[in-house]
Amino acid sequence: MTTRIGILISGRGSNMLALAEAVGERRIPDVEIAIVISDHTDAGGLQCAKEIGLETAVVERAGRTREEHDRAIVAELQSREVRFVCLAGYMRLLSKYFIDAYRNRILNIHPSLLPAFPGLDAHQQVLEHGVKWTGCTVHFVDESLDGGPIIGQRVVPVLDDDTEATLAARILEQEHKLYAEALALVVSGAYEIDGRRVHRQK
Ligand code: GRF
């Protein structure tokens, strides 16, 4: 049976495109991307999604509380029988309403090795702190900021001459691979959540 996915974006949407490519190549088998939703009209990723034939919707924040906005998004997702939601550069925190509606079925990608450097400006935080290794993390979304159970991580070195831009580019390459792997695992159902730990079933 095909599992229906919804992807939420706010920006250029390269992770969304990487997921779409992985679905197309069956690296994420038996999945259909049912909808790509942005919280504003000028997200570059919307056009990219349309160009590859994905259905898109814009659910604008303006004039709505966080929960009203999330109720409108959840309605869009549920009307398309979406089972899993992937946040891909989606720049708004989710309300408890949204998290409860899709408990343990919302994934997020963050450009650091969580729990280090959560929140905004992860690359800047990494460079300012001076760590030698960083990476990216895909995790389930709960009420905490970038703090839900970790599904997968990939590691990259921080080089002496890195700027935010060079570091971001090195991490992004790994993000695209990691997100596809993590979503494939979750869709397969071959994992267990044990407290904070996500175990792959043997
Ligand atoms: C990525 O670095 C992701 O980890 C972070 O926001 C960025 C989104 O990039 N949450 P894109 O829109 O997927 O290209």
Side-chain angles (χ1 to χ4, degrees), residues 9-16 87-91 108-111 123 136 172 175-176:
I9 63 170
S10 300
R12 70 189 158 186
S14 74
N15 278 287
M16 175 272 298
L87 308 185
Y90 184 67
M91 297 305 288
N108 182 44
I109 186 151
H110 182 78
H123 307 111
C136 47
L172 194 63
E175 289 185 39
H176 295 163

mmCIF file with all atom_site columns, all heavy atoms in Angstrom, residues 9-16 87-91 108-111 123 136 172 175-176, ligand 1:
data_model
loop_
_atom_site.group_PDB
_atom_site.id
_atom_site.type_symbol
_atom_site.label_atom_id
_atom_site.label_alt_id
_atom_site.label_comp_id
_atom_site.label_asym_id
_atom_site.label_entity_id
_atom_site.label_seq_id
_atom_site.pdbx_PDB_ins_code
_atom_site.Cartn_x
_atom_site.Cartn_y
_atom_site.Cartn_z
_atom_site.occupancy
_atom_site.B_iso_or_equiv
_atom_site.pdbx_formal_charge
_atom_site.auth_seq_id
_atom_site.auth_comp_id
_atom_site.auth_asym_id
_atom_site.auth_atom_id
_atom_site.pdbx_PDB_model_num
ATOM   1   N N   . ILE A 1 9   ? 7.488  23.359 3.759  1.00 0.00 ? 9   ILE A N   1
ATOM   2   C CA  . ILE A 1 9   ? 8.674  24.156 3.462  1.00 0.00 ? 9   ILE A CA  1
ATOM   3   C C   . ILE A 1 9   ? 8.401  25.632 3.764  1.00 0.00 ? 9   ILE A C   1
ATOM   4   O O   . ILE A 1 9   ? 7.244  26.046 3.845  1.00 0.00 ? 9   ILE A O   1
ATOM   5   C CB  . ILE A 1 9   ? 9.110  24.026 1.979  1.00 0.00 ? 9   ILE A CB  1
ATOM   6   C CG1 . ILE A 1 9   ? 8.023  24.568 1.038  1.00 0.00 ? 9   ILE A CG1 1
ATOM   7   C CG2 . ILE A 1 9   ? 9.433  22.589 1.630  1.00 0.00 ? 9   ILE A CG2 1
ATOM   8   C CD1 . ILE A 1 9   ? 8.461  24.707 -0.413 1.00 0.00 ? 9   ILE A CD1 1
ATOM   9   N N   . SER A 1 10  ? 9.500  26.385 3.890  1.00 0.00 ? 10  SER A N   1
ATOM   10  C CA  . SER A 1 10  ? 9.383  27.853 3.948  1.00 0.00 ? 10  SER A CA  1
ATOM   11  C C   . SER A 1 10  ? 10.348 28.508 2.964  1.00 0.00 ? 10  SER A C   1
ATOM   12  O O   . SER A 1 10  ? 10.304 29.720 2.804  1.00 0.00 ? 10  SER A O   1
ATOM   13  C CB  . SER A 1 10  ? 9.703  28.378 5.350  1.00 0.00 ? 10  SER A CB  1
ATOM   14  O OG  . SER A 1 10  ? 8.833  27.864 6.318  1.00 0.00 ? 10  SER A OG  1
ATOM   15  N N   . GLY A 1 11  ? 11.261 27.723 2.373  1.00 0.00 ? 11  GLY A N   1
ATOM   16  C CA  . GLY A 1 11  ? 12.342 28.335 1.592  1.00 0.00 ? 11  GLY A CA  1
ATOM   17  C C   . GLY A 1 11  ? 12.592 27.660 0.264  1.00 0.00 ? 11  GLY A C   1
ATOM   18  O O   . GLY A 1 11  ? 11.664 27.282 -0.449 1.00 0.00 ? 11  GLY A O   1
ATOM   19  N N   . ARG A 1 12  ? 13.886 27.437 -0.007 1.00 0.00 ? 12  ARG A N   1
ATOM   20  C CA  . ARG A 1 12  ? 14.262 26.992 -1.367 1.00 0.00 ? 12  ARG A CA  1
ATOM   21  C C   . ARG A 1 12  ? 13.867 25.544 -1.640 1.00 0.00 ? 12  ARG A C   1
ATOM   22  O O   . ARG A 1 12  ? 13.754 25.132 -2.797 1.00 0.00 ? 12  ARG A O   1
ATOM   23  C CB  . ARG A 1 12  ? 15.760 27.179 -1.571 1.00 0.00 ? 12  ARG A CB  1
ATOM   24  C CG  . ARG A 1 12  ? 16.558 26.217 -0.744 1.00 0.00 ? 12  ARG A CG  1
ATOM   25  C CD  . ARG A 1 12  ? 18.022 26.434 -0.692 1.00 0.00 ? 12  ARG A CD  1
ATOM   26  N NE  . ARG A 1 12  ? 18.463 25.762 0.529  1.00 0.00 ? 12  ARG A NE  1
ATOM   27  C CZ  . ARG A 1 12  ? 19.658 25.783 1.021  1.00 0.00 ? 12  ARG A CZ  1
ATOM   28  N NH1 . ARG A 1 12  ? 20.590 26.457 0.402  1.00 0.00 ? 12  ARG A NH1 1
ATOM   29  N NH2 . ARG A 1 12  ? 19.935 25.129 2.130  1.00 0.00 ? 12  ARG A NH2 1
ATOM   30  N N   . GLY A 1 13  ? 13.741 24.730 -0.605 1.00 0.00 ? 13  GLY A N   1
ATOM   31  C CA  . GLY A 1 13  ? 13.171 23.396 -0.799 1.00 0.00 ? 13  GLY A CA  1
ATOM   32  C C   . GLY A 1 13  ? 14.111 22.333 -1.334 1.00 0.00 ? 13  GLY A C   1
ATOM   33  O O   . GLY A 1 13  ? 13.662 21.357 -1.936 1.00 0.00 ? 13  GLY A O   1
ATOM   34  N N   . SER A 1 14  ? 15.428 22.455 -1.076 1.00 0.00 ? 14  SER A N   1
ATOM   35  C CA  . SER A 1 14  ? 16.320 21.433 -1.634 1.00 0.00 ? 14  SER A CA  1
ATOM   36  C C   . SER A 1 14  ? 16.111 20.075 -0.950 1.00 0.00 ? 14  SER A C   1
ATOM   37  O O   . SER A 1 14  ? 16.237 19.028 -1.602 1.00 0.00 ? 14  SER A O   1
ATOM   38  C CB  . SER A 1 14  ? 17.783 21.868 -1.551 1.00 0.00 ? 14  SER A CB  1
ATOM   39  O OG  . SER A 1 14  ? 18.278 21.792 -0.249 1.00 0.00 ? 14  SER A OG  1
ATOM   40  N N   . ASN A 1 15  ? 15.795 20.064 0.327  1.00 0.00 ? 15  ASN A N   1
ATOM   41  C CA  . ASN A 1 15  ? 15.512 18.773 0.981  1.00 0.00 ? 15  ASN A CA  1
ATOM   42  C C   . ASN A 1 15  ? 14.220 18.164 0.444  1.00 0.00 ? 15  ASN A C   1
ATOM   43  O O   . ASN A 1 15  ? 14.128 16.942 0.281  1.00 0.00 ? 15  ASN A O   1
ATOM   44  C CB  . ASN A 1 15  ? 15.456 18.939 2.503  1.00 0.00 ? 15  ASN A CB  1
ATOM   45  C CG  . ASN A 1 15  ? 16.831 18.923 3.130  1.00 0.00 ? 15  ASN A CG  1
ATOM   46  O OD1 . ASN A 1 15  ? 17.457 17.862 3.211  1.00 0.00 ? 15  ASN A OD1 1
ATOM   47  N ND2 . ASN A 1 15  ? 17.328 20.077 3.535  1.00 0.00 ? 15  ASN A ND2 1
ATOM   48  N N   . MET A 1 16  ? 13.236 18.997 0.177  1.00 0.00 ? 16  MET A N   1
ATOM   49  C CA  . MET A 1 16  ? 11.986 18.517 -0.429 1.00 0.00 ? 16  MET A CA  1
ATOM   50  C C   . MET A 1 16  ? 12.287 17.843 -1.767 1.00 0.00 ? 16  MET A C   1
ATOM   51  O O   . MET A 1 16  ? 11.787 16.744 -2.063 1.00 0.00 ? 16  MET A O   1
ATOM   52  C CB  . MET A 1 16  ? 11.040 19.714 -0.589 1.00 0.00 ? 16  MET A CB  1
ATOM   53  C CG  . MET A 1 16  ? 9.733  19.454 -1.305 1.00 0.00 ? 16  MET A CG  1
ATOM   54  S SD  . MET A 1 16  ? 9.845  19.650 -3.083 1.00 0.00 ? 16  MET A SD  1
ATOM   55  C CE  . MET A 1 16  ? 10.291 21.370 -3.236 1.00 0.00 ? 16  MET A CE  1
ATOM   56  N N   . LEU A 1 87  ? 9.137  18.016 7.777  1.00 0.00 ? 87  LEU A N   1
ATOM   57  C CA  . LEU A 1 87  ? 9.473  19.437 7.802  1.00 0.00 ? 87  LEU A CA  1
ATOM   58  C C   . LEU A 1 87  ? 10.812 19.572 7.079  1.00 0.00 ? 87  LEU A C   1
ATOM   59  O O   . LEU A 1 87  ? 11.782 18.884 7.430  1.00 0.00 ? 87  LEU A O   1
ATOM   60  C CB  . LEU A 1 87  ? 9.598  19.951 9.234  1.00 0.00 ? 87  LEU A CB  1
ATOM   61  C CG  . LEU A 1 87  ? 8.415  19.665 10.174 1.00 0.00 ? 87  LEU A CG  1
ATOM   62  C CD1 . LEU A 1 87  ? 8.640  20.334 11.525 1.00 0.00 ? 87  LEU A CD1 1
ATOM   63  C CD2 . LEU A 1 87  ? 7.087  20.108 9.564  1.00 0.00 ? 87  LEU A CD2 1
ATOM   64  N N   . ALA A 1 88  ? 10.852 20.429 6.080  1.00 0.00 ? 88  ALA A N   1
ATOM   65  C CA  . ALA A 1 88  ? 12.064 20.559 5.264  1.00 0.00 ? 88  ALA A CA  1
ATOM   66  C C   . ALA A 1 88  ? 12.363 22.042 5.094  1.00 0.00 ? 88  ALA A C   1
ATOM   67  O O   . ALA A 1 88  ? 11.941 22.675 4.132  1.00 0.00 ? 88  ALA A O   1
ATOM   68  C CB  . ALA A 1 88  ? 11.863 19.873 3.913  1.00 0.00 ? 88  ALA A CB  1
ATOM   69  N N   . GLY A 1 89  ? 13.054 22.589 6.107  1.00 0.00 ? 89  GLY A N   1
ATOM   70  C CA  . GLY A 1 89  ? 13.301 24.028 6.083  1.00 0.00 ? 89  GLY A CA  1
ATOM   71  C C   . GLY A 1 89  ? 12.034 24.801 6.389  1.00 0.00 ? 89  GLY A C   1
ATOM   72  O O   . GLY A 1 89  ? 11.845 25.914 5.905  1.00 0.00 ? 89  GLY A O   1
ATOM   73  N N   . TYR A 1 90  ? 11.154 24.202 7.192  1.00 0.00 ? 90  TYR A N   1
ATOM   74  C CA  . TYR A 1 90  ? 9.914  24.871 7.607  1.00 0.00 ? 90  TYR A CA  1
ATOM   75  C C   . TYR A 1 90  ? 10.224 25.698 8.848  1.00 0.00 ? 90  TYR A C   1
ATOM   76  O O   . TYR A 1 90  ? 10.676 25.150 9.854  1.00 0.00 ? 90  TYR A O   1
ATOM   77  C CB  . TYR A 1 90  ? 8.827  23.833 7.889  1.00 0.00 ? 90  TYR A CB  1
ATOM   78  C CG  . TYR A 1 90  ? 7.484  24.447 8.242  1.00 0.00 ? 90  TYR A CG  1
ATOM   79  C CD1 . TYR A 1 90  ? 6.776  25.166 7.289  1.00 0.00 ? 90  TYR A CD1 1
ATOM   80  C CD2 . TYR A 1 90  ? 6.947  24.304 9.512  1.00 0.00 ? 90  TYR A CD2 1
ATOM   81  C CE1 . TYR A 1 90  ? 5.549  25.733 7.603  1.00 0.00 ? 90  TYR A CE1 1
ATOM   82  C CE2 . TYR A 1 90  ? 5.718  24.859 9.837  1.00 0.00 ? 90  TYR A CE2 1
ATOM   83  C CZ  . TYR A 1 90  ? 5.028  25.576 8.876  1.00 0.00 ? 90  TYR A CZ  1
ATOM   84  O OH  . TYR A 1 90  ? 3.816  26.141 9.192  1.00 0.00 ? 90  TYR A OH  1
ATOM   85  N N   . MET A 1 91  ? 10.005 27.006 8.753  1.00 0.00 ? 91  MET A N   1
ATOM   86  C CA  . MET A 1 91  ? 10.563 27.924 9.750  1.00 0.00 ? 91  MET A CA  1
ATOM   87  C C   . MET A 1 91  ? 9.564  28.341 10.820 1.00 0.00 ? 91  MET A C   1
ATOM   88  O O   . MET A 1 91  ? 9.664  29.426 11.378 1.00 0.00 ? 91  MET A O   1
ATOM   89  C CB  . MET A 1 91  ? 11.117 29.171 9.046  1.00 0.00 ? 91  MET A CB  1
ATOM   90  C CG  . MET A 1 91  ? 12.276 28.874 8.105  1.00 0.00 ? 91  MET A CG  1
ATOM   91  S SD  . MET A 1 91  ? 13.634 27.999 8.902  1.00 0.00 ? 91  MET A SD  1
ATOM   92  C CE  . MET A 1 91  ? 14.268 29.331 9.918  1.00 0.00 ? 91  MET A CE  1
ATOM   93  N N   . ASN A 1 108 ? 11.734 16.062 11.245 1.00 0.00 ? 108 ASN A N   1
ATOM   94  C CA  . ASN A 1 108 ? 12.398 17.329 10.941 1.00 0.00 ? 108 ASN A CA  1
ATOM   95  C C   . ASN A 1 108 ? 13.864 17.064 10.655 1.00 0.00 ? 108 ASN A C   1
ATOM   96  O O   . ASN A 1 108 ? 14.449 16.119 11.196 1.00 0.00 ? 108 ASN A O   1
ATOM   97  C CB  . ASN A 1 108 ? 12.284 18.290 12.128 1.00 0.00 ? 108 ASN A CB  1
ATOM   98  C CG  . ASN A 1 108 ? 12.923 19.640 11.835 1.00 0.00 ? 108 ASN A CG  1
ATOM   99  O OD1 . ASN A 1 108 ? 12.739 20.212 10.763 1.00 0.00 ? 108 ASN A OD1 1
ATOM   100 N ND2 . ASN A 1 108 ? 13.700 20.158 12.784 1.00 0.00 ? 108 ASN A ND2 1
ATOM   101 N N   . ILE A 1 109 ? 14.451 17.925 9.802  1.00 0.00 ? 109 ILE A N   1
ATOM   102 C CA  . ILE A 1 109 ? 15.900 17.863 9.597  1.00 0.00 ? 109 ILE A CA  1
ATOM   103 C C   . ILE A 1 109 ? 16.519 19.138 10.124 1.00 0.00 ? 109 ILE A C   1
ATOM   104 O O   . ILE A 1 109 ? 16.011 20.237 9.902  1.00 0.00 ? 109 ILE A O   1
ATOM   105 C CB  . ILE A 1 109 ? 16.273 17.599 8.126  1.00 0.00 ? 109 ILE A CB  1
ATOM   106 C CG1 . ILE A 1 109 ? 17.788 17.391 8.004  1.00 0.00 ? 109 ILE A CG1 1
ATOM   107 C CG2 . ILE A 1 109 ? 15.799 18.720 7.198  1.00 0.00 ? 109 ILE A CG2 1
ATOM   108 C CD1 . ILE A 1 109 ? 18.198 16.495 6.872  1.00 0.00 ? 109 ILE A CD1 1
ATOM   109 N N   . HIS A 1 110 ? 17.639 18.944 10.847 1.00 0.00 ? 110 HIS A N   1
ATOM   110 C CA  . HIS A 1 110 ? 18.323 20.093 11.452 1.00 0.00 ? 110 HIS A CA  1
ATOM   111 C C   . HIS A 1 110 ? 19.814 20.005 11.108 1.00 0.00 ? 110 HIS A C   1
ATOM   112 O O   . HIS A 1 110 ? 20.411 18.929 11.206 1.00 0.00 ? 110 HIS A O   1
ATOM   113 C CB  . HIS A 1 110 ? 18.132 20.068 12.975 1.00 0.00 ? 110 HIS A CB  1
ATOM   114 C CG  . HIS A 1 110 ? 18.772 21.239 13.646 1.00 0.00 ? 110 HIS A CG  1
ATOM   115 N ND1 . HIS A 1 110 ? 18.200 22.493 13.655 1.00 0.00 ? 110 HIS A ND1 1
ATOM   116 C CD2 . HIS A 1 110 ? 19.947 21.353 14.305 1.00 0.00 ? 110 HIS A CD2 1
ATOM   117 C CE1 . HIS A 1 110 ? 18.993 23.334 14.290 1.00 0.00 ? 110 HIS A CE1 1
ATOM   118 N NE2 . HIS A 1 110 ? 20.069 22.669 14.696 1.00 0.00 ? 110 HIS A NE2 1
ATOM   119 N N   . PRO A 1 111 ? 20.422 21.149 10.741 1.00 0.00 ? 111 PRO A N   1
ATOM   120 C CA  . PRO A 1 111 ? 21.820 21.093 10.289 1.00 0.00 ? 111 PRO A CA  1
ATOM   121 C C   . PRO A 1 111 ? 22.856 21.174 11.398 1.00 0.00 ? 111 PRO A C   1
ATOM   122 O O   . PRO A 1 111 ? 23.757 22.000 11.361 1.00 0.00 ? 111 PRO A O   1
ATOM   123 C CB  . PRO A 1 111 ? 21.906 22.299 9.346  1.00 0.00 ? 111 PRO A CB  1
ATOM   124 C CG  . PRO A 1 111 ? 20.967 23.290 9.938  1.00 0.00 ? 111 PRO A CG  1
ATOM   125 C CD  . PRO A 1 111 ? 19.859 22.484 10.568 1.00 0.00 ? 111 PRO A CD  1
ATOM   126 N N   . HIS A 1 123 ? 24.805 26.885 11.843 1.00 0.00 ? 123 HIS A N   1
ATOM   127 C CA  . HIS A 1 123 ? 26.177 26.927 11.309 1.00 0.00 ? 123 HIS A CA  1
ATOM   128 C C   . HIS A 1 123 ? 27.001 28.001 12.013 1.00 0.00 ? 123 HIS A C   1
ATOM   129 O O   . HIS A 1 123 ? 28.179 27.790 12.324 1.00 0.00 ? 123 HIS A O   1
ATOM   130 C CB  . HIS A 1 123 ? 26.159 27.182 9.799  1.00 0.00 ? 123 HIS A CB  1
ATOM   131 C CG  . HIS A 1 123 ? 25.288 26.226 9.050  1.00 0.00 ? 123 HIS A CG  1
ATOM   132 N ND1 . HIS A 1 123 ? 24.118 26.599 8.442  1.00 0.00 ? 123 HIS A ND1 1
ATOM   133 C CD2 . HIS A 1 123 ? 25.411 24.898 8.854  1.00 0.00 ? 123 HIS A CD2 1
ATOM   134 C CE1 . HIS A 1 123 ? 23.564 25.539 7.889  1.00 0.00 ? 123 HIS A CE1 1
ATOM   135 N NE2 . HIS A 1 123 ? 24.325 24.494 8.136  1.00 0.00 ? 123 HIS A NE2 1
ATOM   136 N N   . CYS A 1 136 ? 24.338 16.619 10.563 1.00 0.00 ? 136 CYS A N   1
ATOM   137 C CA  . CYS A 1 136 ? 22.906 16.882 10.464 1.00 0.00 ? 136 CYS A CA  1
ATOM   138 C C   . CYS A 1 136 ? 22.149 15.757 11.162 1.00 0.00 ? 136 CYS A C   1
ATOM   139 O O   . CYS A 1 136 ? 22.687 14.666 11.367 1.00 0.00 ? 136 CYS A O   1
ATOM   140 C CB  . CYS A 1 136 ? 22.475 17.011 9.002  1.00 0.00 ? 136 CYS A CB  1
ATOM   141 S SG  . CYS A 1 136 ? 23.102 15.729 7.909  1.00 0.00 ? 136 CYS A SG  1
ATOM   142 N N   . LEU A 1 172 ? 24.676 20.216 3.740  1.00 0.00 ? 172 LEU A N   1
ATOM   143 C CA  . LEU A 1 172 ? 23.462 20.034 2.939  1.00 0.00 ? 172 LEU A CA  1
ATOM   144 C C   . LEU A 1 172 ? 23.533 18.770 2.075  1.00 0.00 ? 172 LEU A C   1
ATOM   145 O O   . LEU A 1 172 ? 22.549 18.048 1.917  1.00 0.00 ? 172 LEU A O   1
ATOM   146 C CB  . LEU A 1 172 ? 23.232 21.271 2.056  1.00 0.00 ? 172 LEU A CB  1
ATOM   147 C CG  . LEU A 1 172 ? 21.845 21.379 1.409  1.00 0.00 ? 172 LEU A CG  1
ATOM   148 C CD1 . LEU A 1 172 ? 20.743 21.516 2.460  1.00 0.00 ? 172 LEU A CD1 1
ATOM   149 C CD2 . LEU A 1 172 ? 21.797 22.565 0.448  1.00 0.00 ? 172 LEU A CD2 1
ATOM   150 N N   . GLU A 1 175 ? 22.607 16.120 4.283  1.00 0.00 ? 175 GLU A N   1
ATOM   151 C CA  . GLU A 1 175 ? 21.180 16.218 4.653  1.00 0.00 ? 175 GLU A CA  1
ATOM   152 C C   . GLU A 1 175 ? 20.318 15.485 3.641  1.00 0.00 ? 175 GLU A C   1
ATOM   153 O O   . GLU A 1 175 ? 19.388 14.756 3.994  1.00 0.00 ? 175 GLU A O   1
ATOM   154 C CB  . GLU A 1 175 ? 20.733 17.687 4.699  1.00 0.00 ? 175 GLU A CB  1
ATOM   155 C CG  . GLU A 1 175 ? 21.282 18.483 5.863  1.00 0.00 ? 175 GLU A CG  1
ATOM   156 C CD  . GLU A 1 175 ? 20.696 19.897 5.916  1.00 0.00 ? 175 GLU A CD  1
ATOM   157 O OE1 . GLU A 1 175 ? 19.498 20.076 5.640  1.00 0.00 ? 175 GLU A OE1 1
ATOM   158 O OE2 . GLU A 1 175 ? 21.448 20.826 6.231  1.00 0.00 ? 175 GLU A OE2 1
ATOM   159 N N   . HIS A 1 176 ? 20.634 15.708 2.354  1.00 0.00 ? 176 HIS A N   1
ATOM   160 C CA  . HIS A 1 176 ? 19.792 15.134 1.302  1.00 0.00 ? 176 HIS A CA  1
ATOM   161 C C   . HIS A 1 176 ? 19.803 13.608 1.358  1.00 0.00 ? 176 HIS A C   1
ATOM   162 O O   . HIS A 1 176 ? 18.784 12.968 1.125  1.00 0.00 ? 176 HIS A O   1
ATOM   163 C CB  . HIS A 1 176 ? 20.261 15.638 -0.063 1.00 0.00 ? 176 HIS A CB  1
ATOM   164 C CG  . HIS A 1 176 ? 20.070 17.117 -0.231 1.00 0.00 ? 176 HIS A CG  1
ATOM   165 N ND1 . HIS A 1 176 ? 20.700 17.844 -1.208 1.00 0.00 ? 176 HIS A ND1 1
ATOM   166 C CD2 . HIS A 1 176 ? 19.328 18.015 0.482  1.00 0.00 ? 176 HIS A CD2 1
ATOM   167 C CE1 . HIS A 1 176 ? 20.327 19.123 -1.106 1.00 0.00 ? 176 HIS A CE1 1
ATOM   168 N NE2 . HIS A 1 176 ? 19.510 19.246 -0.081 1.00 0.00 ? 176 HIS A NE2 1
HETATM 169 C C1  . GRF B 2 .   ? 18.371 22.927 5.832  1.00 0.00 ? 1   GRF B C1  1
HETATM 170 O O1  . GRF B 2 .   ? 19.700 23.213 6.189  1.00 0.00 ? 1   GRF B O1  1
HETATM 171 C C2  . GRF B 2 .   ? 17.661 22.242 6.957  1.00 0.00 ? 1   GRF B C2  1
HETATM 172 O O2  . GRF B 2 .   ? 18.482 21.429 7.731  1.00 0.00 ? 1   GRF B O2  1
HETATM 173 C C3  . GRF B 2 .   ? 17.196 23.409 7.784  1.00 0.00 ? 1   GRF B C3  1
HETATM 174 O O3  . GRF B 2 .   ? 16.832 24.408 6.868  1.00 0.00 ? 1   GRF B O3  1
HETATM 175 C C4  . GRF B 2 .   ? 17.550 24.210 5.654  1.00 0.00 ? 1   GRF B C4  1
HETATM 176 C C5  . GRF B 2 .   ? 16.524 24.073 4.569  1.00 0.00 ? 1   GRF B C5  1
HETATM 177 O O4  . GRF B 2 .   ? 17.092 23.989 3.296  1.00 0.00 ? 1   GRF B O4  1
HETATM 178 N N1  . GRF B 2 .   ? 16.107 23.008 8.663  1.00 0.00 ? 1   GRF B N1  1
HETATM 179 P P1  . GRF B 2 .   ? 16.191 23.577 2.058  1.00 0.00 ? 1   GRF B P1  1
HETATM 180 O O5  . GRF B 2 .   ? 15.017 24.571 2.011  1.00 0.00 ? 1   GRF B O5  1
HETATM 181 O O6  . GRF B 2 .   ? 15.712 22.179 2.256  1.00 0.00 ? 1   GRF B O6  1
HETATM 182 O O7  . GRF B 2 .   ? 17.075 23.742 0.871  1.00 0.00 ? 1   GRF B O7  1
#
